[in-house]
Amino acid sequence: MSDKEPDNTPYQGPVALLTRVEKTYHMDSVSVPVIKGVDILVRPACFTVLLGPSGSGKTTLLNMFGCIDKPDAGEVMVAGCNVGELSDDALSDFRAKNIGFIFQNFNLLPVLSAYENIEYPLLLTGASAKTRADRVPKLLEAVGLADKAHHLPGQLSGGQRQRVAIARALVRKPKLVIADEPTANLDSETGAAILGLMRRMVDRFQISFIFSSHDSDVISAADDTIFLKDGRIRGIKRKGAEASP
Amino acid sequence: MMTLSLAVRNLLRNRRRSLATLLAMAIGSTSILLFGGYSANINYTMHTEYVQSGGHLQIQHRDFYLYGSGNPTAYAIADYTKIIADIKNDAVLKDMVQVITPTLQFGGIAGNYAAGVSRTIVGNGLVAKDINQMRRWNDFNLRTGSPPFALEGAAADAAIVGTGVARVLLLCEALKIANCPTPEAETPSDGDKLPDDIAQLGSLESQPASKTTNANDAGRIEVLAGTAKGAPNVASLKVIRAEEQGFKELDEIYIMMHLAQAQQLIYGSTPPKVSSIILQLSHSEQIPQALERIQPILAKYSKTQPLAVLDFKTLNPFYVQTIQMFDTIFGFIFALIGAIVLFTVGNTMNTAVVERTVEIGTLRAIGLRRAGIRQLFVTEGALLGLTGALLGVILALVVSGIVNQMGLTWAAPGSVVPLPLTLTVWGEYKMMVGTTVGLICIAILSAWVPAYRAAQLKVVDALRHV
């Protein structure tokens, strides 16, 4: 792995691009191929859904988009950068700057308040106090939690926690937000509300979202839907176009 | 600042576990400091006793320390008054030296001939006024105090003996010494019985002696010693007091008298000499500087007599050995407690890493570098170490304060009086800082391995952890 630093020049092309990506998990003496030569392009400011049953490879692909996992073969480009060439530290910095994460279990830091959880990624990138004081309250308001700023995650409901997680993912204005089944642990009403919120965030902040789901109801909210099964793409549906294999 | 704040909150998150770890560290730290305080007090007590009795430095004939006990007079110092005057007149030494006093040591036989007993002794001629002044040295402000030297103001033929000497010479009754048994007189058996005529003659022979054993002669002894020229000489001394010397071997041979009396016994009409010149300084820290100043003065006399100056540590190897022993025990206790702290903190941090694996994955995913994860856990370990060690210092100060107020006493080896049991923790800043820093380092070391393991976790695996 080289120590090449990420390219910081403005990038206008696809937000993310997977080319002939393959991934196999090895457990003891058993090898399980989970991604088998996948090509995916994520368009800017689009709401992209990876749809498929359990074991279809959704999470593995999201991990590669999120630069927290590497393919065995193929290439991963995010924001114009071939992330496979980055060192671990450079990759951390790249994630801090370009990628936001929303997890199924919210994954908020339990010792930090809602405000501090949202502020934390900014502290990691050394944002000034002024920037933080300007951006965090706006996001809290955008996700409808202005009055819960000083609540700890343990004092918030599941839906509220996920709202905080969304705000945390957006606070650094990333190129791409990764959301792994963000509504799986929420009731259907709250899940729908969170989905609606994410959709609004895409439109408002012009940030690409890519998230996984096995619930076909989310298709209506998505710009692009990628159908996965057994580690292969079974179809891609872009809004206003026909599904293709 | 962010790492510190997060580390503090993480420690407060599982209060019971953090508290148990802190208590283990605090008790360990307290134990180290209390033993250190006890050890420090022993050091100060012994240091003070040796300086009070033998000063900081002694000027002797070069070979007196090694061979003098066999023939003290052969290694005596001539012209000692000039040497003392030179030291007193030295611009630097005069401000440092609190007492400078000559002593004469010799070997001989002491006898209580009225009681028909005698024994070999080591005699010491001293300047009583100087010895009394030396006994007041208390640079460490100890609560113990030496009794005044009874020879000051006493008659020229007065002597003080060890309680062992008094016991052997059957002086206990005359000197009113408590706990000093007088042996029961042996009853002669029939076989040992003398013929009547011889026994009658014997009783007549003993009558004049009985007459001389009046009140004035009670406690009077005769000391026989070889003069510098080799002839025998005798001094009749009035024992005014017996002082315990701590060690039985010394207690049964030690006699102190006025220097003039001792010099008269050994040198008679020839110019008197001394065995050593004792220097007591205002403070022990002045020893190196005083040594440096004294050497050129002694060099002036090197043509006539080779002289050396020795510090009290060289003269009293028992002191050095005792301090080294306590230092070794202190180090051993520190190592034991350090090992306990190492495993306690290590266990706490290991558990924290396992419990927070998903959190580690989250932090890494949102951009925290491996070093940041390491820093976070090491900071938590360091905070545990710092807090535990500081709690230990506070606890040790409180416990030592309570113990010091209880008025407990103990008997130190070689000490003749019960000593106050004092735990010198307050004021031992070097020990307190050293223990605190040591425990923090151990805590950091024990947090390092879990921290490294946490940092090496794969982000995907950490996020998947259940």
Side-chain angles (χ1 to χ4, degrees), chain B residues 144-438:
Chain B
T144 178
S146 294
F149 191 50
L151 218 52
E152 187 175 3
D157 64 344
I160 296 174
V161 299
T163 52
V165 174
R167 187 179 65 249
V168 173
L169 296 184
L170 305 180
L171 297 170
C172 294
E173 201 179 320
L175 296 173
K176 298 183 175 59
I177 303 169
N179 302 320
C180 184
T182 306
E184 289 176 19
E186 282 187 32
T187 312
S189 63
D190 287 346
D192 295 336
K193 235 175 181 179
L194 296 169
D196 289 345
D197 53 343
I198 302 292
Q200 200 177 358
L201 193 63
S203 68
L204 284 171
E205 180 75 9
S206 65
Q207 274 175 7
S210 302
K211 279 178 189 170
T212 58
T213 315
N214 56 33
N216 289 333
D217 292 339
R220 186 162 283 280
I221 59 171
E222 284 77 36
V223 173
L224 170 68
T227 64
K229 290 179 178 173
N233 197 3
V234 175
S236 176
L237 302 174
K238 170 76 174 170
V239 179
I240 58 168
R241 182 172 171 158
E243 282 185 358
E244 200 173 331
Q245 298 303 311
F247 295 104
K248 185 171 181 288
E249 294 80 3
L250 183 64
D251 201 41
E252 289 183 349
I253 58 171
Y254 201 59
I255 293 183
M256 290 169 278
M257 64 194 74
H258 289 293
L259 177 65
Q261 176 72 64
Q263 286 175 327
Q264 178 63 35
L265 179 65
I266 303 299
Y267 296 103
S269 57
T270 57
K273 298 179 181 179
V274 293
S275 308
S276 59
I277 299 167
I278 296 174
L279 286 96
Q280 190 182 62
L281 309 174
S282 302
H283 308 290
S284 299
E285 300 78 51
Q286 294 168 329
I287 289 177
Q289 200 188 347
L291 276 170
E292 206 174 302
R293 293 292 296 188
I294 291 168
Q295 298 290 4
I297 295 173
L298 299 186
K300 287 199 306 186
Y301 298 89
S302 61
K303 283 182 185 171
T304 53
Q305 50 185 347
L307 297 173
V309 56
L310 306 173
D311 67 11
F312 78 101
K313 289 181 183 174
T314 309
L315 292 165
N316 301 288
F318 179 72
Y319 167 73
V320 177
Q321 288 163 354
T322 306
I323 300 310
Q324 281 173 347
M325 182 185 76
F326 274 96
D327 285 349
T328 306
I329 296 173
F330 181 84
F332 184 67
I333 290 176
F334 189 94
L336 280 180
I337 290 173
I340 294 169
V341 168
L342 190 78
F343 285 107
T344 307
V345 176
N347 184 50
T348 300
M349 298 313 297
N350 267 319
T351 312
V353 168
V354 172
E355 281 179 359
R356 284 157 49 196
T357 301
V358 176
E359 207 174 300
I360 293 164
T362 307
L363 288 169
R364 293 277 289 122
I366 62 178
L368 188 63
R369 290 181 173 193
R370 288 190 200 278
I373 296 290
R374 275 198 301 271
Q375 198 180 359
L376 179 62
F377 283 96
V378 167
T379 305
E380 288 179 30
L383 280 173
L384 277 175
L386 176 69
T387 316
L390 287 180
L391 272 177
V393 170
I394 293 166
L395 203 60
L397 288 171
V398 171
V399 172
S400 63
I402 293 169
V403 170
N404 294 347
Q405 293 303 314
M406 287 171 76
L408 302 172
T409 58
W410 68 293
S415 178
V416 294
V417 287
L419 300 170
L421 179 62
T422 306
L423 303 172
T424 314
V425 178
W426 179 253
E428 292 296 305
Y429 304 116
K430 199 174 157 189
M431 177 178 74
M432 287 195 277
V433 171
T435 303
T436 304
V437 171

Side-chain angles (χ1 to χ4, degrees), chain B residues 447-466:
Chain B
W448 175 258
V449 176
Y452 179 80
R453 199 162 53 82
Q456 292 305 113
L457 283 171
K458 284 184 178 174
V459 183
V460 174
D461 293 341
L463 286 171
R464 219 184 274 149
H465 181 82
V466 182

Side-chain angles (χ1 to χ4, degrees), chain A residues 25 63 68-69 88-89 92-93 95-96 101 103 107 109-112 116 120 123-124 168 172, chain B residues 2 5-6 9-10 13 358-359 361-371 459-460 463-464:
Chain A
Y25 286 130
N63 289 342
I68 56 176
D69 201 0
D88 193 80
D89 281 349
S92 296
D93 297 344
R95 286 195 299 268
F101 284 90
F103 300 96
N107 290 20
L109 297 178
V111 293
L112 301 183
E116 289 166 332
Y120 190 79
L123 288 166
L124 279 182
R168 180 179 67 180
R172 278 185 304 213
Chain B
M2 177 182 64
S5 165
L6 202 55
R9 293 187 200 194
N10 281 327
R13 193 158 147 188
V358 176
E359 207 174 300
T362 307
L363 288 169
R364 293 277 289 122
I366 62 178
L368 188 63
R369 290 181 173 193
R370 288 190 200 278
V459 183
V460 174
L463 286 171
R464 219 184 274 149

Side-chain angles (χ1 to χ4, degrees), chain A residues 96-131:
Chain A
K97 193 181 170 200
N98 296 296
I99 300 168
F101 284 90
I102 300 168
F103 300 96
Q104 183 178 330
N105 292 318
F106 326 126
N107 290 20
L108 299 177
L109 297 178
V111 293
L112 301 183
S113 67
Y115 185 99
E116 289 166 332
N117 262 291
I118 298 167
E119 187 186 29
Y120 190 79
L122 290 175
L123 288 166
L124 279 182
T125 47
S128 67
K130 186 177 175 295
T131 305

